[in-house]
Amino acid sequence: MAGQSKLSSEATQVLIQEMRSPSARDYDLTAREKEILKLMVDGLPNTEIADKLGVSPSTAKFHVSNVLSKLGVASRTEAVSLALKQKLVK
């Protein structure tokens, strides 16, 4: 093998699939979570998200926390950055 690495065809397929379109799976966000993410991208804080959606601030905070968890990020800034890079919102 002359010092070169070799991947199995199965591993290659998994890598190709992940590289092609990670946004296609939308990180399993619900329709409401996608709506929340869009509002986060627009720069709205939890209180304004709550007002816009007609829910309590604690409900908005709960949804934001779910979005962060599903995206695997620790902050709103990271979530917005990922959403824009992966084109998760329109």
Side-chain angles (χ1 to χ4, degrees), residues 40 44-51 55-57 60-62 64 76:
M40 291 168 62
L44 273 63
N46 290 350
T47 53
E48 288 183 38
I49 290 172
D51 288 343
V55 298
S56 72
K61 184 178 178 180
F62 175 77
V64 168
R76 294 171 78 96

Side-chain angles (χ1 to χ4, degrees), residues 29 32-42 49 67 71 76 79-80 82-83 88-89:
L29 297 175
R32 179 61 110 187
E33 290 165 344
K34 288 177 190 176
E35 189 176 9
I36 297 283
L37 183 56
K38 170 68 172 104
L39 296 172
M40 291 168 62
V41 167
D42 291 343
I49 290 172
V67 169
L71 295 180
R76 294 171 78 96
V80 168
L82 181 65
L88 298 176
V89 295

